[in-house]
Amino acid sequence: MARRGAGTPFLLQLSLLLLLHLGGEFGPSWTLGCGSVAVGSHIVPLGSAVTASCTIQRELCRGLEQEKVQISWMLDNKLVVGSQRQGPGGTEVSNLTLPRFNHTQAKLWCCVEWNGTKQRVAVAEIRAGYPPAKPLNLSCVLNLGDYGLTCQWEQGTDNHLPTSVVLKCAGKPCPLPEGPRAHCSGCCRSRAQAVTGCTPQGGHSHCTVPRRLLQLYRQMEIWVSATNALGTAESEHLCIDPMDVAKLDPPTLQSIQSIPFQTDCIALAWDVARGTEHMELRCELRYRTPEDTSWALVTGIVGRAGTARRCGFLFGTQYHFQMRCRRSSASALTYWSEWSPGRNYTTHEKAPTGKLDVWWGTQQAGAGGRLEVQLRWKAPRQREANGRVLGYRVTLSPRRRGRDPPTICNTTHTHCNFSVPAATRRVYLSAFNSAGESAPTEVVLLERKGQPLAGLRAVSGGEHSLWVHWEAPLAPVIAYVLEWQRVTAEPGHCSTCWQMERDGAATTALIQDDIEPFQLYNISLYPLYEGTVGVPVHTTAYSQQKAPSHAPKLHLRRISKSEAELCWEPLPVEMRNGFITSYTIFWANSITDMASATVNPSLSSFVIQGLKPSTLYKVHIMASTAAGGTNGTSLTLVTTVLDDTEIQFLFLTLGLIFVLLMVLLICFQKNERMKEQLWPSVPDPANSSLGKWVPAAVPQEPLQVLAAREPSPAAISTVTVLEGESGKQPGKEPPALPVAPPALSRPYVRQEGPEEPVQYARVGGAGYRGQRLLPEPAPRFYENLRGRGDGGGAGDWGFPEEPPATFPLLQGLLIGGAEELHECRAD
């Protein structure tokens, strides 16, 4: 039992929490009825103050009997603060005041603190809005099909509150109002008069009053009433006869014809729609030509049906006619019917009238005495053509009664080229149609050598027009002639691209014929004086510009290590789409930012400076007009290592060196003395006559020489070295080289045959002994031994201290008595 008693408060608290939650979420007050909310009004004007109070009965809130009650407020999910006090009978009361209620709809909750949480115990729903707006622009129309009266209006601004809208009508007659709108006040309606009407469905602003609630041919009062919780608003009251607002079916045009013949008047027959034969009607007629944008209106046609007559029509012109009617009533609310289906009619023709605007050009046709004339004219306006022009005729004299002059040009075009005698100064032009021919227009072929205008300029007048302005000359001008030609790559001529300004005081003109955007036009202005034509002035203009269609293609003209010259072809005039204001050249390498330069549009080349040697650059060009620019394709170029001047200098230097080498080579080949000085002639000891000498009576003992000093073996005779005289001191000779011990003398012999040795000489340390036994000359001395010495330590002959390895004979002589060699040359 103790355990059950301990668990009971927990279950009670859980049940109380659940009940509080359910009551606060789904009911206007707590389910157990321990709290209630009272508000001053559940619907208030938007932005006004709201007051509310919440009362909590402690004894009805189980679980809160012994606890302190804390009351709080929430507006939707936002906490608001109120005041709390103790009420009578042990109740707790909290009052709340909201100074500005800015919600169109919201819930105000009363909450109590229980176990640390806010529990909703009561709620009040509040809505806010405005009084209904006054309905505006009430209008009604009676449908003659079912005779129901359909009215519509404008509801006005939303008031955020449920609103009831009713269209009301009453049959008590009212005094007819004055003024264009048939409004009346409700004071004329009797309080006992029944009010009927209709209620719009689905929130629409129109409804239809059935025929059984209407009184036809009698005045009725009609208005709209809008009501919500904050008030009621009514529209202006209409006092109308429902038949006055009946919208009739359109009439039918039966026939149209010209009467009497050769006048500008027509007669039109019409009939009313079915069901309106008994009504007095007032009708209107409108018409226009296919070229007109506005209608000509004929009013005041009265009657049930019949005919109408109208004058002032052009000859030979097609017109489109329509007609409408309404009930002839004094009410300003009477509706017109729709316009009838259109009917076309072409008036009869008449011979053309008026003068033609003519312009000409002349040139001499060689030596034949003829004058070539290019004649152009403007087609007559419809008012003067009086029908469809069939052709034009040019003659040399005006037409006279009973005789037609010869025709030199008969064409359906507005231009003609022909030749006339050189003395011709006048031709005559006329137009004709099916009704006849116009009076001829005299054309005087004046020379163009009058005073020109001081200035001429042209500006855009729109996508397909140009305004031309000029300065009036001092001399009086009869008229001006404007010519314009589209500039194209292939020259052409527009025969209709001209106009004449008849006002001699004018200084502006608008060109509208054959003008296309993004195309260049040459404009010429001729002043026409009395008896002459002024020299023309010229200008160019675009009616509209845009960026060029393409940019020029860049070409590389030359390049060096720091400069590159680029060139391009000017854009074709069709691709420019405007006046070229500039060319912009952009260039960059792979590691630096892009650089650019702006070029005058009159130039077609540009030199980029400050480039780095042996570097790759990407270059492109942008062509710009006043309306934008277009980039061209990229050109890749690589700068050189050397400039042209440096390359030329290098080649020149190499050429000079080559020429010098060739000159030296030729000189060496031709000059033997120089050749011997630089390349002396050295005899080959192996091929010398010494090679045939052999010892006389001793066996062959070849001289052994170091390998480094004898590049090739040489066959020589045996050399016998005699012992020198004892005690002999050479005079001025250098110290002798160290020699080997004395040896026996050996005779020199010459090998004449295989077995016949002949003694030639004997070499001794004291000098040369012997005699020449053979007729052949002795071997030549080495030519390069003299001059090699430097004057010290080599004797008078300049022998080196050590003989070269390439001279085996001298190596042998060095073995004994080398200090005596200079005596060999003494003989």
Side-chain angles (χ1 to χ4, degrees):
M1 290 296 294
R3 295 179 61 87
R4 292 183 60 186
T8 300
F10 173 75
L11 295 175
L12 180 61
Q13 293 176 4
L14 183 62
S15 302
L16 179 60
L17 180 61
L18 180 61
L19 291 174
L20 286 173
H21 176 74
L22 293 175
E25 190 70 27
F26 299 103
S29 62
W30 191 21
T31 306
L32 298 181
C34 71
S36 62
V37 176
V39 295
S41 176
H42 288 276
I43 299 178
V44 296
L46 189 64
S48 63
V50 173
T51 59
S53 64
C54 179
T55 303
I56 302 297
Q57 299 181 13
R58 185 190 302 271
E59 65 276 6
L60 297 180
C61 296
R62 288 175 293 179
L64 298 178
E65 297 87 348
Q66 304 302 325
E67 297 184 10
K68 183 180 180 180
V69 177
Q70 294 183 359
I71 304 174
S72 60
W73 296 87
M74 293 186 69
L75 184 62
D76 284 339
N77 295 320
K78 183 179 179 182
L79 182 66
V80 291
V81 180
S83 62
Q84 184 175 341
R85 62 181 175 82
Q86 190 172 6
T91 60
E92 292 290 335
V93 179
S94 177
N95 295 323
L96 174 67
T97 299
L98 300 175
R100 291 182 60 85
F101 189 79
N102 294 323
H103 301 266
T104 58
Q105 184 176 358
K107 290 182 179 181
L108 184 61
W109 296 93
C110 178
C111 306
V112 295
E113 295 285 343
W114 183 81
N115 204 17
T117 61
K118 289 179 171 56
Q119 302 299 323
R120 299 175 179 180
V121 296
V123 65
E125 186 173 357
I126 304 174
R127 300 192 65 168
Y130 302 103
K134 179 181 179 180
L136 302 174
N137 298 329
L138 174 63
S139 61
C140 301
V141 59
L142 182 68
N143 185 1
L144 295 180
D146 58 2
Y147 285 91
L149 183 67
T150 300
C151 298
Q152 60 181 7
W153 59 92
E154 295 178 8
Q155 189 59 51
T157 59
D158 184 15
N159 55 46
H160 307 296
L161 296 176
T163 304
S164 174
V165 180
V166 179
L167 175 67
K168 298 181 178 181
C169 57
K172 181 68 177 181
C174 298
L176 290 177
E178 297 180 358
R181 300 292 295 175
H183 300 302
C184 60
S185 62
C187 61
C188 67
R189 173 169 38 86
S190 171
R191 293 181 180 271
Q193 179 66 39
V195 176
T196 60
C198 59
T199 301
Q201 302 296 323
H204 296 293
S205 298
H206 60 83
C207 67
T208 300
V209 181
R211 170 67 180 85
R212 56 184 176 81
L213 301 179
L214 299 176
Q215 298 178 8
L216 303 182
Y217 299 102
R218 297 184 62 184
Q219 295 292 322
M220 295 189 68
E221 184 179 358
I222 301 173
W223 72 98
V224 178
S225 176
T227 304
N228 65 12
L230 298 180
T232 300
E234 293 183 352
S235 68
E236 295 288 344
H237 289 229
L238 296 181
C239 292
I240 58 173
D241 177 358
M243 289 301 296
D244 288 342
V245 294
K247 189 169 184 178
L248 309 180
D249 292 332
T252 303
L253 295 177
Q254 299 293 339
S255 63
I256 304 173
Q257 59 182 357
S258 297
I259 55 170
F261 190 72
Q262 288 294 320
T263 67
D264 59 350
C265 298
I266 64 165
L268 184 145
W270 57 281
D271 196 3
V272 298
R274 181 180 299 179
T276 60
E277 297 86 351
H278 60 285
M279 298 182 184
E280 290 291 334
L281 303 178
R282 179 171 296 172
C283 301
E284 291 180 345
L285 176 69
R286 69 178 184 179
Y287 58 90
R288 67 177 180 182
T289 64
E291 294 80 16
D292 293 336
T293 57
S294 60
W295 296 86
L297 187 64
V298 180
T299 60
I301 302 176
V302 181
R304 292 186 174 91
T307 61
R309 178 177 294 184
R310 177 67 179 174
C311 296
F313 293 95
L314 300 178
F315 293 97
T317 306
Q318 180 182 355
Y319 288 92
H320 186 73
F321 293 89
Q322 286 183 312
M323 195 173 189
R324 67 178 182 177
C325 297
R326 71 174 183 176
R327 186 168 173 264
S328 181
S329 172
S331 175
L333 300 179
T334 304
Y335 289 99
W336 288 98
S337 69
E338 298 294 337
W339 288 101
S340 67
R343 188 181 182 94
N344 294 327
Y345 179 74
T346 302
T347 58
H348 62 268
E349 292 188 353
K350 183 182 177 181
T353 58
K355 299 293 184 179
L356 299 174
D357 290 339
V358 187
W359 183 234
W360 69 93
T362 60
Q363 62 181 3
Q364 294 294 330
R370 304 288 292 179
L371 186 68
E372 293 289 339
V373 180
Q374 300 86 37
L375 196 65
R376 293 179 286 169
W377 57 90
K378 292 291 185 181
R381 293 179 290 271
Q382 184 64 37
R383 183 176 296 276
E384 299 170 347
N386 295 331
R388 187 171 68 89
V389 175
L390 300 179
Y392 303 89
R393 183 178 292 111
V394 180
T395 60
L396 290 176
S397 61
R399 184 178 66 255
R400 291 181 174 84
R401 183 176 301 178
R403 183 173 63 88
D404 290 334
T407 300
I408 58 176
C409 183
N410 192 338
T411 179
T412 58
H413 302 291
T414 56
H415 58 90
C416 185
N417 298 336
F418 53 87
S419 63
V420 294
T424 304
R425 289 293 175 264
R426 286 177 173 80
V427 294
Y428 298 88
L429 174 67
S430 60
F432 57 91
N433 60 15
S434 60
E437 186 172 353
S438 68
T441 299
E442 184 182 46
V443 181
V444 181
L445 305 179
L446 302 174
E447 295 184 358
R448 299 178 180 179
K449 52 184 180 181
Q451 178 185 355
L453 299 178
L456 177 68
R457 63 186 180 91
V459 296
S460 173
E463 187 176 352
H464 297 279
S465 60
L466 288 168
W467 276 107
V468 182
H469 304 266
W470 63 88
E471 298 179 10
L474 298 178
V477 178
I478 299 174
Y480 294 94
V481 174
L482 271 169
E483 280 187 342
W484 60 94
Q485 294 290 334
R486 177 176 169 180
V487 180
T488 59
E490 298 180 0
H493 185 76
C494 175
S495 61
T496 61
C497 298
W498 69 279
Q499 67 186 41
M500 181 175 288
E501 298 295 327
R502 294 285 185 180
D503 185 6
T507 57
T508 60
L510 180 64
I511 300 175
Q512 293 179 295
D513 296 337
D514 301 310
I515 300 295
E516 295 296 331
F518 320 125
Q519 300 298 324
L520 179 64
Y521 290 88
N522 281 331
I523 301 173
S524 303
L525 181 63
Y526 299 81
L528 303 184
Y529 302 103
E530 184 70 32
T532 186
V533 178
V535 176
V537 290
H538 310 279
T539 188
T540 56
Y542 283 90
S543 65
Q544 187 176 355
Q545 299 187 57
K546 67 176 181 179
S549 301
H550 301 285
K553 184 178 181 181
L554 286 176
H555 300 279
L556 181 62
R557 179 175 291 174
R558 65 176 179 86
I559 191 169
S560 64
K561 70 176 184 180
S562 61
E563 293 183 350
E565 183 176 2
L566 306 173
C567 62
W568 58 89
E569 294 293 334
L571 282 174
V573 67
E574 294 87 349
M575 299 297 179
R576 297 176 189 172
N577 300 330
F579 293 110
I580 300 297
T581 57
S582 66
Y583 293 109
T584 306
I585 310 296
F586 299 89
W587 67 91
N589 58 24
S590 58
I591 59 175
T592 60
D593 295 334
M594 179 173 289
S596 63
T598 302
V599 183
N600 191 287
S602 62
L603 301 178
S604 60
S605 64
F606 178 73
V607 178
I608 303 176
Q609 299 177 340
L611 302 180
K612 297 179 180 180
S614 188
T615 304
L616 183 143
Y617 287 89
K618 288 186 178 293
V619 186
H620 72 272
I621 186 172
M622 181 178 71
S624 301
T625 66
T630 301
N631 288 322
T633 56
S634 179
L635 174 66
T636 301
L637 54 90
V638 179
T639 54
T640 60
V641 179
L642 301 175
D643 282 336
D644 292 342
T645 305
E646 296 174 344
I647 294 174
Q648 293 174 1
F649 180 77
L650 178 61
F651 276 102
L652 180 60
T653 303
L654 294 176
L656 291 176
I657 294 174
F658 178 76
V659 171
L660 289 175
L661 291 176
M662 293 300 296
V663 170
L664 290 175
L665 182 60
I666 293 172
C667 290
F668 293 155
Q669 293 291 335
K670 298 297 184 180
N671 194 333
E672 292 294 336
R673 184 175 183 180
M674 182 179 294
K675 182 177 179 182
E676 290 181 359
Q677 289 294 328
L678 296 179
W679 296 288
S681 178
V682 179
D684 186 1
N687 297 324
S688 174
S689 60
L690 288 178
K692 299 180 181 180
W693 297 349
V694 295
V698 295
Q700 297 287 337
E701 293 181 5
L703 181 64
Q704 300 296 326
V705 186
L706 296 176
R709 297 181 179 271
E710 187 176 2
S712 59
I716 62 176
S717 300
T718 302
V719 178
T720 301
V721 180
L722 301 179
E723 183 179 356
E725 298 178 0
S726 60
K728 184 176 181 179
Q729 300 292 334
K732 296 180 181 180
E733 296 174 358
L737 295 175
V739 297
L744 296 176
S745 61
R746 295 179 181 178
Y748 275 63
V749 297
R750 181 177 180 183
Q751 186 73 32
E752 290 293 337
E755 295 181 358
E756 295 180 359
V758 179
Q759 182 176 352
Y760 179 74
R762 185 181 300 269
V763 179
Y768 174 79
R769 296 179 182 90
Q771 59 180 350
R772 189 182 304 268
L773 301 179
L774 298 175
E776 290 84 3
R780 296 181 62 184
F781 296 106
Y782 282 63
E783 298 177 357
N784 60 342
L785 293 181
R786 181 181 297 273
R788 277 197 158 203
D790 54 0
D796 296 335
W797 295 96
F799 293 136
E801 296 181 356
E802 182 178 356
T806 55
F807 293 86
L809 180 58
L810 294 181
Q811 288 286 350
L813 294 177
L814 186 60
I815 295 174
E819 67 280 1
E820 301 290 340
L821 284 177
H822 65 279
E823 296 181 359
C824 297
R825 288 279 298 178
D827 191 3

